[in-house]
Amino acid sequence: MTELTLAIDQSTQGTKVLLINPDGTIAYKVTKGHRQIISPHGWISHDLIEIKNNLKTLIHTALSHTADKIVAVAISNQRETAAAWDKTTAEPLALAVVWQDNRAVSLTESIVLKEHAHLIKQKTGLPLSPYFTAAKFEWMQLYEPAVRDALTADNLCFGTIDSRLLYILSGGIYKTEPSNACRTLLMNLDTGNWDPELCTLFGININNLPQIVDSDSIFGETTLFGELSTPIPIISILGDSQAALFAENCLQAGQIKITFGTGSSIMMNTGEKQIHIDGLNTSIAWRKNKKTTYALEGNVNYSGSLITWLKNNLNIINDPSETNAMAEAANPNDTTFLIPAFSGMAAPYNYPQLKAALVGMSQLTGRNEIVRAALNAVIYQINDVMNLMYQASAKISSTVHVDGGMIANRYLMQQLANISQQSVLISSIQELSGVGAAMNGKNNHGLTFPPEKIYTANIHQQDATKQVKLWTSNIKQLIK
């Protein structure tokens, strides 16, 4: 009988339950989506009760499909989403505020917080932003009556989604770990603990936050909502991007992985050294056996969401799978660039007021050329982030590990190899976050499976440089 780890991957779009073999391969997988609750203001929320019910259903389904022994549980999760629940009953006090949500922007633009932006960046490695969890917690205290009442009654739990899942699985254990905690604006990178000064700035009582422990701790035990007669340990928690870095075996400083999703996460392991680069986030990859591994991360907000825009807003594709053939069929002489500044342009441009634009169009421009421009825009944004990372270390790996839903697009992957002039290693494992969390807890190393495919550049460096200069110049002209 094989001993399996049950991995829970709680993503933005849904819940996955994976049964992981000791070697990291997936024995079984089951998935269920949940609603994206969008208010008239454009706020994005998740229903924690719906997620719990989905999780219970998926666990029951997974266990009914195996006769093997489940010996442990691991968790990976969307990181910056904010949850609040009752300490006694574990019932949610409000809808979860999703990482993409910017309802707390008025708080982060307040004079008091803006005066401390440098201090926040210095202590956390992150810019002051409503993207991160602290301002979401503060907003909930101000505007959610049940949260205010629980705060007054000293019965409030705040947490990221990992803490919420641990709490309901374990019957009330209240913990988190550094890869999630470091994305809140409340954890001090140097101490690895909640920072009292930061908590005061955001009006958060430090007692309403979970204990921070190592990423490979024994977090507690669970019967998986009564599915098991004997409790098993919860052995690992990692934020989804860090879990993918671990699964890709990027365990040495200078190794980079890119996860393609709704947005893209570009993350580089920096080892035991914190590196601070303007435009990038300094985070913790994981903390194991009291030893902290740090990471540099850049995020591209518009990757898969650009393809959704082509489909739902422009109606020029019926399915994302069409984009590869359309891009390859585009006229090579067309000069169209898509500048996806739907919410401004981040580093290295740092121009939040910029609006999105299609530039360089001519009579050659049609559906294929616009699709190619959208795919190219994903790569140019990623390359901008990678160029910032190259400033950080002379020990950058000559290969890039990639995962996520868009890696099946041949044009996109070849363009990444061309523009970055790096070898692009396509993961042979699709569910890297869940697998990475399981491997973090069980084996203390990442996967060593060969990549499914390797793309290498088929254009010269000077041609890649020319394309990047055109991209950059188009953005700068719009800024002018």
Side-chain angles (χ1 to χ4, degrees):
M1 180 179 290
T2 304
E3 294 188 343
L4 304 176
T5 298
L6 186 143
I8 299 166
D9 181 15
Q10 185 58 56
S11 72
T12 308
Q13 299 296 322
T15 308
K16 300 170 189 168
V17 169
L18 314 170
L19 300 181
I20 310 294
N21 289 310
D23 66 355
T25 56
I26 298 172
Y28 183 75
K29 176 182 78 171
V30 62
T31 302
K32 189 174 179 62
H34 57 254
R35 292 173 297 150
Q36 306 300 304
I37 303 169
I38 302 177
S39 77
H41 304 88
W43 299 343
I44 308 170
S45 304
H46 290 161
D47 184 341
L48 294 171
I49 296 175
E50 179 186 8
I51 289 173
K52 178 181 178 180
N53 290 337
N54 287 353
L55 179 59
K56 292 174 73 173
T57 298
L58 294 175
I59 288 173
H60 178 79
T61 301
L63 296 184
S64 67
H65 278 78
T66 183
D68 290 322
K69 186 176 182 181
I70 309 299
V71 297
V73 173
I75 296 170
S76 66
N77 61 286
Q78 48 170 308
R79 295 174 297 171
E80 296 86 3
T81 296
W85 63 93
D86 186 288
K87 186 182 299 183
T88 303
T89 67
E91 289 300 309
L93 297 169
L95 295 173
V97 182
V98 179
W99 60 272
Q100 297 161 305
D101 185 286
N102 70 346
R103 72 185 70 179
V105 65
S106 62
L107 300 177
T108 55
E109 290 181 349
S110 70
I111 293 174
V112 172
L113 282 178
K114 290 184 79 171
E115 285 178 345
H116 292 87
H118 177 72
L119 173 72
I120 291 168
K121 175 71 172 177
Q122 184 181 47
K123 287 193 172 193
T124 69
L126 306 173
L128 174 63
S129 170
Y131 176 90
F132 302 107
T133 324
K136 294 178 170 71
F137 289 154
E138 184 181 10
W139 186 94
M140 295 169 89
Q141 285 187 169
L142 290 171
Y143 299 109
E144 293 286 359
V147 174
R148 287 202 308 272
D149 291 345
L151 176 65
T152 302
D154 193 24
N155 207 31
L156 172 63
C157 289
F158 275 139
T160 43
I161 293 298
D162 61 303
S163 296
R164 170 62 186 171
L165 295 181
L166 175 63
Y167 204 89
I168 61 175
L169 284 166
S170 67
I173 292 175
Y174 193 31
K175 295 178 181 178
T176 187
E177 57 72 54
S179 75
N180 279 287
C182 75
R183 304 291 291 184
T184 62
L185 291 182
L186 298 173
M187 194 199 84
N188 187 307
L189 281 181
D190 292 329
T191 67
N193 292 313
W194 303 121
D195 187 282
E197 185 176 13
L198 295 176
C199 288
T200 299
L201 279 175
F202 286 96
I204 305 301
N205 186 330
I206 205 166
N207 295 321
N208 296 330
L209 296 171
Q211 178 188 4
I212 303 173
V213 299
D214 285 0
S215 308
D216 59 349
S217 297
I218 302 299
F219 288 85
E221 292 187 324
T222 180
T223 61
L224 297 172
F225 302 114
E227 293 285 344
L228 303 176
S229 58
T230 302
I232 58 175
I234 300 169
I235 61 171
S236 169
I237 295 177
L238 281 176
D240 52 9
S241 192
Q242 286 94 329
L245 185 76
F246 193 89
E248 290 277 23
N249 212 33
C250 293
L251 307 183
Q252 304 300 319
Q255 292 183 305
I256 297 175
K257 73 90 195 173
I258 303 168
T259 298
F260 289 86
T262 302
S264 289
S265 167
I266 305 95
M267 182 173 281
M268 182 176 75
N269 186 324
T270 64
E272 297 179 41
K273 183 179 180 182
Q274 287 183 34
I275 297 177
H276 297 265
I277 298 288
D278 287 342
L280 297 179
N281 298 326
T282 303
S283 295
I284 291 176
W286 44 76
R287 191 172 76 202
K288 299 165 67 67
N289 300 317
K290 309 302 179 185
K291 180 180 176 182
T292 300
T293 298
Y294 295 94
L296 271 177
E297 183 174 8
N299 297 96
V300 170
N301 289 336
Y302 290 95
S303 292
S305 56
L306 277 183
I307 309 307
T308 302
W309 177 73
L310 294 176
K311 178 178 179 290
N312 294 343
N313 295 66
L314 298 191
N315 298 311
I316 61 175
I317 62 171
N318 295 312
D319 188 270
S321 62
E322 300 170 4
T323 58
N324 181 78
M326 293 175 73
E328 290 177 342
N331 191 313
N333 297 315
D334 183 75
T335 57
T336 301
F337 281 80
L338 170 61
I339 312 301
F342 296 100
S343 53
M345 291 296 284
Y349 310 101
N350 298 315
Y351 201 80
Q353 295 83 13
L354 189 65
K355 300 297 184 182
L358 280 164
V359 299
M361 291 190 293
S362 70
Q363 289 183 330
L364 297 175
T365 307
R367 294 168 65 246
N368 290 347
E369 289 70 33
I370 292 173
V371 167
R372 183 179 64 185
L375 293 178
N376 286 347
V378 174
I379 300 306
Y380 293 139
Q381 291 177 95
I382 289 171
N383 189 66
D384 286 338
V385 172
M386 292 175 66
N387 282 337
L388 289 174
M389 288 181 172
Y390 296 153
Q391 301 174 23
S393 172
K395 297 181 179 179
I396 300 293
S397 172
S398 61
T399 60
V400 176
H401 299 260
V402 299
D403 61 272
M406 299 180 79
I407 63 174
N409 190 301
R410 298 186 308 274
Y411 176 85
L412 190 73
M413 295 299 101
Q414 185 60 60
Q415 186 71 341
L416 176 59
N418 288 346
I419 296 302
S420 70
Q421 293 287 294
Q422 302 272 49
S423 296
V424 175
L425 280 58
I426 307 298
S427 172
S428 58
I429 302 292
Q430 291 186 344
E431 308 296 348
L432 278 174
S433 293
V435 171
M439 300 297 283
N440 169 60
K442 294 291 286 186
N443 296 333
N444 207 34
H445 60 75
L447 302 178
T448 56
F449 302 133
E452 183 175 293
K453 186 175 175 62
I454 300 175
Y455 289 84
T456 57
N458 60 17
I459 65 173
H460 294 297
Q461 174 71 63
Q462 56 266 36
D463 295 322
T465 300
K466 181 179 179 181
Q467 289 190 45
V468 172
K469 283 184 177 179
L470 285 171
W471 158 258
T472 302
S473 66
N474 277 313
I475 294 173
K476 289 182 176 178
Q477 287 179 28
L478 290 173
I479 291 174
K480 291 178 182 177

Coordinates of all heavy atoms in Angstrom, one line a residue, residues 341-403:
A341 N -1.5 48.6 -20.3 CA -1.5 49.5 -19.1 C -3.0 49.7 -18.6 O -3.4 50.8 -18.4 CB -0.8 50.8 -19.4
F342 N -3.7 48.6 -18.5 CA -5.1 48.7 -18.0 C -5.1 49.3 -16.6 O -6.2 49.8 -16.2 CB -5.8 47.3 -18.1 CG -5.9 46.8 -19.5 CD1 -5.0 45.9 -20.0 CD2 -6.9 47.3 -20.3 CE1 -5.1 45.4 -21.3 CE2 -7.0 46.8 -21.6 CZ -6.1 45.9 -22.1
S343 N -4.1 49.1 -15.8 CA -4.0 49.7 -14.5 C -2.6 50.4 -14.4 O -2.0 50.2 -13.3 CB -4.2 48.7 -13.4 OG -3.3 47.6 -13.6
G344 N -2.2 51.0 -15.4 CA -0.9 51.7 -15.4 C 0.2 50.7 -15.7 O 0.0 49.5 -16.0
M345 N 1.5 51.1 -15.7 CA 2.6 50.3 -15.9 C 3.5 50.3 -14.7 O 3.9 51.4 -14.2 CB 3.4 50.7 -17.1 CG 2.7 50.5 -18.5 SD 2.4 48.7 -18.8 CE 4.0 48.2 -19.3
A346 N 3.9 49.2 -14.2 CA 4.7 49.1 -13.0 C 6.2 49.2 -13.4 O 6.5 49.7 -14.5 CB 4.4 47.8 -12.3
A347 N 7.1 48.7 -12.5 CA 8.5 48.8 -12.8 C 8.8 48.1 -14.1 O 8.2 47.1 -14.4 CB 9.3 48.1 -11.6
P348 N 9.8 48.6 -14.9 CA 10.7 49.7 -14.5 C 10.2 51.1 -14.9 O 10.9 52.1 -14.8 CB 11.9 49.4 -15.3 CG 11.4 48.7 -16.6 CD 10.2 47.9 -16.1
Y349 N 8.9 51.2 -15.4 CA 8.3 52.4 -15.8 C 7.7 53.2 -14.7 O 7.8 54.5 -14.7 CB 7.3 52.2 -16.9 CG 7.9 51.2 -18.0 CD1 7.5 49.9 -18.0 CD2 8.8 51.7 -18.9 CE1 8.1 49.0 -18.9 CE2 9.4 50.8 -19.8 CZ 9.0 49.4 -19.8 OH 9.5 48.6 -20.7
N350 N 7.0 52.6 -13.8 CA 6.5 53.2 -12.6 C 5.6 54.4 -13.0 O 5.8 55.5 -12.5 CB 7.6 53.7 -11.7 CG 8.4 52.5 -11.1 OD1 7.8 51.5 -10.7 ND2 9.7 52.6 -11.2
Y351 N 4.6 54.1 -13.9 CA 3.7 55.2 -14.3 C 2.3 54.6 -14.2 O 1.7 54.1 -15.2 CB 4.0 55.5 -15.8 CG 3.5 56.9 -16.2 CD1 4.2 58.1 -15.8 CD2 2.4 57.0 -16.9 CE1 3.8 59.3 -16.1 CE2 1.9 58.3 -17.2 CZ 2.6 59.4 -16.8 OH 2.1 60.7 -17.2
P352 N 1.7 54.8 -13.0 CA 0.3 54.2 -12.8 C -0.8 54.9 -13.6 O -1.8 54.4 -13.8 CB 0.1 54.4 -11.3 CG 1.1 55.5 -10.9 CD 2.2 55.4 -11.8
Q353 N -0.5 56.1 -14.1 CA -1.5 56.9 -14.8 C -1.6 56.5 -16.3 O -2.6 56.8 -17.0 CB -1.2 58.4 -14.8 CG -1.3 59.0 -13.4 CD -0.1 58.8 -12.6 OE1 1.0 58.5 -13.1 NE2 -0.1 59.0 -11.3
L354 N -0.7 55.7 -16.8 CA -0.7 55.3 -18.2 C -1.9 54.5 -18.6 O -2.3 53.6 -17.8 CB 0.6 54.5 -18.5 CG 0.9 54.3 -20.0 CD1 1.1 55.6 -20.8 CD2 2.1 53.3 -20.2
K355 N -2.4 54.7 -19.7 CA -3.6 54.0 -20.2 C -3.1 53.0 -21.3 O -2.1 53.2 -22.0 CB -4.6 54.9 -20.9 CG -5.2 55.9 -19.9 CD -5.9 55.3 -18.8 CE -6.6 56.3 -17.9 NZ -7.3 55.7 -16.7
A356 N -3.9 51.9 -21.4 CA -3.5 50.8 -22.4 C -3.7 51.4 -23.8 O -4.5 52.3 -24.1 CB -4.4 49.6 -22.2
A357 N -2.9 50.8 -24.7 CA -3.0 51.3 -26.1 C -2.5 50.2 -27.1 O -1.6 49.4 -26.7 CB -2.1 52.5 -26.3
L358 N -3.0 50.2 -28.3 CA -2.4 49.5 -29.4 C -1.7 50.5 -30.3 O -2.3 51.5 -30.7 CB -3.5 48.8 -30.2 CG -4.1 47.5 -29.7 CD1 -5.4 47.1 -30.3 CD2 -3.0 46.4 -29.9
V359 N -0.4 50.3 -30.5 CA 0.3 51.3 -31.2 C 1.0 50.6 -32.4 O 1.3 49.4 -32.4 CB 1.4 52.0 -30.3 CG1 0.7 52.8 -29.2 CG2 2.4 51.0 -29.8
G360 N 1.4 51.4 -33.4 CA 2.1 50.9 -34.5 C 1.3 50.2 -35.6 O 1.8 49.4 -36.4
M361 N 0.0 50.3 -35.5 CA -0.9 49.6 -36.4 C -0.8 50.2 -37.8 O -0.5 51.4 -38.0 CB -2.3 49.6 -35.9 CG -2.6 48.7 -34.7 SD -4.3 48.5 -34.3 CE -4.8 50.2 -33.9
S362 N -1.1 49.4 -38.8 CA -1.2 49.8 -40.2 C -2.2 49.0 -40.9 O -3.0 48.2 -40.2 CB 0.2 49.6 -40.9 OG 0.4 48.2 -41.0
Q363 N -2.3 49.1 -42.2 CA -3.3 48.3 -43.0 C -3.0 46.8 -42.9 O -3.8 46.0 -43.3 CB -3.4 48.8 -44.4 CG -4.0 50.2 -44.5 CD -4.2 50.6 -46.0 OE1 -3.3 50.3 -46.8 NE2 -5.2 51.4 -46.3
L364 N -1.8 46.5 -42.5 CA -1.4 45.1 -42.3 C -2.1 44.5 -41.1 O -2.1 43.2 -41.0 CB 0.1 44.9 -42.2 CG 0.9 45.4 -43.4 CD1 2.4 45.2 -43.1 CD2 0.6 44.5 -44.6
T365 N -2.5 45.3 -40.2 CA -3.0 44.8 -38.9 C -4.4 44.3 -38.9 O -5.3 44.9 -39.4 CB -2.9 46.0 -37.8 OG1 -1.6 46.6 -37.8 CG2 -3.3 45.5 -36.5
G366 N -4.5 43.0 -38.5 CA -5.8 42.4 -38.3 C -5.8 41.6 -37.1 O -5.0 41.8 -36.1
R367 N -6.7 40.6 -37.0 CA -6.9 39.8 -35.8 C -5.7 39.1 -35.4 O -5.3 39.1 -34.2 CB -8.1 38.8 -36.0 CG -9.4 39.4 -36.2 CD -10.5 38.4 -36.7 NE -10.7 37.4 -35.7 CZ -10.4 36.1 -35.9 NH1 -9.9 35.7 -37.0 NH2 -10.7 35.2 -35.0
N368 N -5.0 38.4 -36.4 CA -3.8 37.7 -36.1 C -2.7 38.6 -35.5 O -2.0 38.2 -34.5 CB -3.2 37.0 -37.3 CG -4.1 35.9 -37.8 OD1 -5.0 35.4 -37.1 ND2 -3.9 35.4 -39.0
E369 N -2.5 39.7 -36.0 CA -1.5 40.6 -35.6 C -1.8 41.2 -34.1 O -0.9 41.3 -33.3 CB -1.3 41.8 -36.6 CG -0.7 41.4 -37.9 CD -1.6 40.5 -38.8 OE1 -2.9 40.7 -38.7 OE2 -1.1 39.7 -39.5
I370 N -3.0 41.4 -33.8 CA -3.4 41.9 -32.5 C -3.2 40.8 -31.5 O -2.7 41.0 -30.4 CB -4.8 42.4 -32.5 CG1 -4.9 43.7 -33.3 CG2 -5.3 42.6 -31.0 CD1 -6.3 44.2 -33.5
V371 N -3.5 39.5 -31.9 CA -3.3 38.4 -31.0 C -1.8 38.2 -30.7 O -1.4 38.0 -29.6 CB -3.9 37.1 -31.6 CG1 -3.4 35.9 -30.8 CG2 -5.4 37.2 -31.5
R372 N -1.0 38.3 -31.8 CA 0.5 38.2 -31.6 C 1.0 39.3 -30.7 O 1.8 39.1 -29.8 CB 1.2 38.3 -32.9 CG 2.7 38.1 -32.8 CD 3.4 38.1 -34.1 NE 3.2 39.4 -34.8 CZ 3.6 39.7 -36.0 NH1 4.2 38.8 -36.7 NH2 3.5 40.9 -36.5
A373 N 0.5 40.5 -30.9 CA 0.9 41.7 -30.0 C 0.6 41.4 -28.5 O 1.3 41.8 -27.7 CB 0.2 43.0 -30.5
A374 N -0.6 40.8 -28.3 CA -1.0 40.5 -26.9 C 0.0 39.5 -26.3 O 0.4 39.6 -25.1 CB -2.4 40.0 -26.9
L375 N 0.3 38.4 -27.0 CA 1.2 37.4 -26.5 C 2.6 38.0 -26.3 O 3.3 37.7 -25.3 CB 1.3 36.2 -27.5 CG 0.0 35.4 -27.6 CD1 0.2 34.3 -28.6 CD2 -0.4 34.8 -26.3
N376 N 3.1 38.8 -27.3 CA 4.3 39.5 -27.1 C 4.4 40.4 -25.9 O 5.4 40.4 -25.2 CB 4.7 40.3 -28.3 CG 5.0 39.5 -29.6 OD1 5.3 38.3 -29.4 ND2 5.1 40.1 -30.7
A377 N 3.3 41.1 -25.6 CA 3.2 42.0 -24.4 C 3.4 41.2 -23.1 O 4.1 41.7 -22.2 CB 1.9 42.7 -24.4
V378 N 2.9 40.0 -23.1 CA 3.2 39.1 -21.9 C 4.7 38.9 -21.7 O 5.2 39.1 -20.6 CB 2.5 37.8 -22.0 CG1 2.8 36.9 -20.8 CG2 1.0 38.0 -22.1
I379 N 5.4 38.6 -22.8 CA 6.8 38.3 -22.7 C 7.6 39.6 -22.4 O 8.6 39.5 -21.6 CB 7.3 37.6 -24.0 CG1 6.5 36.3 -24.2 CG2 8.8 37.4 -24.0 CD1 6.6 35.3 -23.0
Y380 N 7.3 40.7 -23.1 CA 8.0 41.9 -22.8 C 7.9 42.3 -21.4 O 8.9 42.8 -20.8 CB 7.5 43.0 -23.7 CG 7.8 42.8 -25.2 CD1 6.8 43.1 -26.2 CD2 9.0 42.3 -25.7 CE1 7.0 42.9 -27.5 CE2 9.2 42.1 -27.0 CZ 8.3 42.4 -27.9 OH 8.5 42.2 -29.3
Q381 N 6.8 42.2 -20.8 CA 6.6 42.6 -19.4 C 7.5 41.7 -18.5 O 8.1 42.1 -17.6 CB 5.1 42.4 -19.0 CG 4.2 43.4 -19.6 CD 2.7 43.1 -19.1 OE1 2.3 43.7 -18.2 NE2 2.1 42.2 -19.8
I382 N 7.4 40.4 -18.8 CA 8.3 39.4 -18.0 C 9.7 39.7 -18.2 O 10.5 39.7 -17.2 CB 7.9 38.0 -18.4 CG1 6.5 37.6 -17.9 CG2 9.0 37.0 -17.9 CD1 6.0 36.3 -18.5
N383 N 10.1 40.0 -19.4 CA 11.5 40.4 -19.6 C 12.0 41.6 -18.9 O 13.1 41.7 -18.4 CB 11.8 40.6 -21.1 CG 13.2 40.7 -21.5 OD1 14.0 39.8 -21.3 ND2 13.6 41.9 -22.0
D384 N 11.1 42.6 -18.8 CA 11.4 43.8 -18.0 C 11.7 43.4 -16.5 O 12.6 43.9 -15.9 CB 10.2 44.8 -18.0 CG 10.0 45.5 -19.3 OD1 11.0 45.6 -20.0 OD2 8.9 45.9 -19.6
V385 N 10.9 42.5 -16.0 CA 11.1 42.0 -14.6 C 12.5 41.3 -14.5 O 13.3 41.5 -13.6 CB 10.0 41.2 -14.1 CG1 10.3 40.5 -12.8 CG2 8.7 42.0 -14.0
M386 N 12.7 40.4 -15.5 CA 14.0 39.6 -15.4 C 15.2 40.5 -15.5 O 16.2 40.3 -14.9 CB 13.9 38.6 -16.6 CG 12.9 37.5 -16.3 SD 12.8 36.3 -17.7 CE 14.4 35.6 -17.6
N387 N 15.1 41.6 -16.3 CA 16.2 42.5 -16.5 C 16.5 43.2 -15.1 O 17.7 43.5 -14.8 CB 15.9 43.6 -17.5 CG 16.1 43.0 -18.9 OD1 16.9 42.0 -19.1 ND2 15.5 43.6 -19.9
L388 N 15.5 43.5 -14.3 CA 15.7 44.0 -13.0 C 16.4 43.0 -12.1 O 17.3 43.3 -11.3 CB 14.4 44.4 -12.4 CG 13.7 45.7 -13.0 CD1 12.3 45.9 -12.3 CD2 14.5 46.9 -12.8
M389 N 16.0 41.7 -12.3 CA 16.6 40.7 -11.5 C 18.1 40.5 -11.8 O 18.9 40.2 -10.9 CB 15.9 39.3 -11.7 CG 14.6 39.3 -11.0 SD 13.7 37.7 -11.2 CE 12.3 38.0 -10.1
Y390 N 18.5 40.7 -13.1 CA 19.9 40.5 -13.5 C 20.8 41.5 -12.7 O 22.0 41.3 -12.7 CB 20.0 40.7 -15.0 CG 19.3 39.7 -15.8 CD1 18.9 40.0 -17.1 CD2 19.0 38.4 -15.3 CE1 18.2 39.0 -17.8 CE2 18.4 37.5 -16.0 CZ 18.0 37.8 -17.3 OH 17.3 36.8 -18.0
Q391 N 20.2 42.6 -12.2 CA 21.0 43.6 -11.4 C 21.4 43.0 -10.0 O 22.3 43.5 -9.4 CB 20.2 44.9 -11.2 CG 19.8 45.6 -12.5 CD 18.9 46.8 -12.1 OE1 18.9 47.3 -11.0 NE2 18.0 47.2 -13.1
A392 N 20.6 42.0 -9.6 CA 20.8 41.5 -8.3 C 22.0 40.6 -8.0 O 22.5 40.5 -6.9 CB 19.5 40.7 -7.9
S393 N 22.4 39.8 -9.1 CA 23.4 38.8 -8.8 C 24.1 38.5 -10.1 O 23.5 38.5 -11.2 CB 22.7 37.5 -8.3 OG 23.6 36.5 -8.2
A394 N 25.4 38.1 -9.9 CA 26.2 37.7 -11.1 C 26.0 36.2 -11.3 O 26.5 35.6 -12.3 CB 27.6 38.0 -10.9
K395 N 25.2 35.5 -10.4 CA 25.1 34.1 -10.5 C 23.7 33.7 -11.0 O 23.1 32.7 -10.6 CB 25.3 33.5 -9.1 CG 26.7 33.7 -8.6 CD 26.9 33.0 -7.2 CE 28.3 33.2 -6.7 NZ 28.4 32.6 -5.3
I396 N 23.2 34.4 -12.0 CA 21.9 34.1 -12.6 C 22.0 32.9 -13.4 O 22.9 32.7 -14.2 CB 21.4 35.3 -13.4 CG1 21.2 36.5 -12.6 CG2 20.0 34.9 -14.1 CD1 20.1 36.5 -11.6
S397 N 21.1 32.0 -13.2 CA 21.1 30.7 -14.0 C 20.8 31.0 -15.5 O 20.1 32.0 -15.8 CB 20.0 29.8 -13.5 OG 19.8 28.7 -14.3
S398 N 21.3 30.2 -16.4 CA 21.1 30.4 -17.8 C 19.8 29.7 -18.3 O 19.5 29.7 -19.5 CB 22.3 29.9 -18.6 OG 22.5 28.5 -18.4
T399 N 19.1 29.2 -17.4 CA 17.8 28.5 -17.7 C 16.7 29.1 -16.9 O 16.9 29.7 -15.8 CB 17.9 27.0 -17.4 OG1 18.1 26.8 -16.0 CG2 18.9 26.3 -18.2
V400 N 15.5 29.1 -17.4 CA 14.3 29.6 -16.7 C 13.3 28.5 -16.7 O 13.0 27.8 -17.7 CB 13.7 30.8 -17.5 CG1 12.4 31.3 -16.8 CG2 14.7 31.9 -17.6
H401 N 12.8 28.2 -15.5 CA 11.7 27.2 -15.3 C 10.4 27.8 -15.5 O 10.1 28.9 -14.9 CB 11.9 26.5 -14.0 CG 13.2 25.8 -13.8 ND1 13.3 24.4 -13.9 CD2 14.4 26.3 -13.4 CE1 14.6 24.1 -13.7 NE2 15.3 25.2 -13.4
V402 N 9.5 27.2 -16.2 CA 8.1 27.8 -16.4 C 7.1 26.8 -16.1 O 7.2 25.6 -16.3 CB 8.0 28.4 -17.8 CG1 9.0 29.5 -18.1 CG2 8.1 27.3 -18.9
D403 N 5.9 27.3 -15.6 CA 4.8 26.5 -15.4 C 3.5 27.3 -15.5 O 3.6 28.5 -15.7 CB 4.8 25.9 -14.0 CG 4.9 26.9 -12.9 OD1 6.0 27.4 -12.5 OD2 3.8 27.3 -12.4

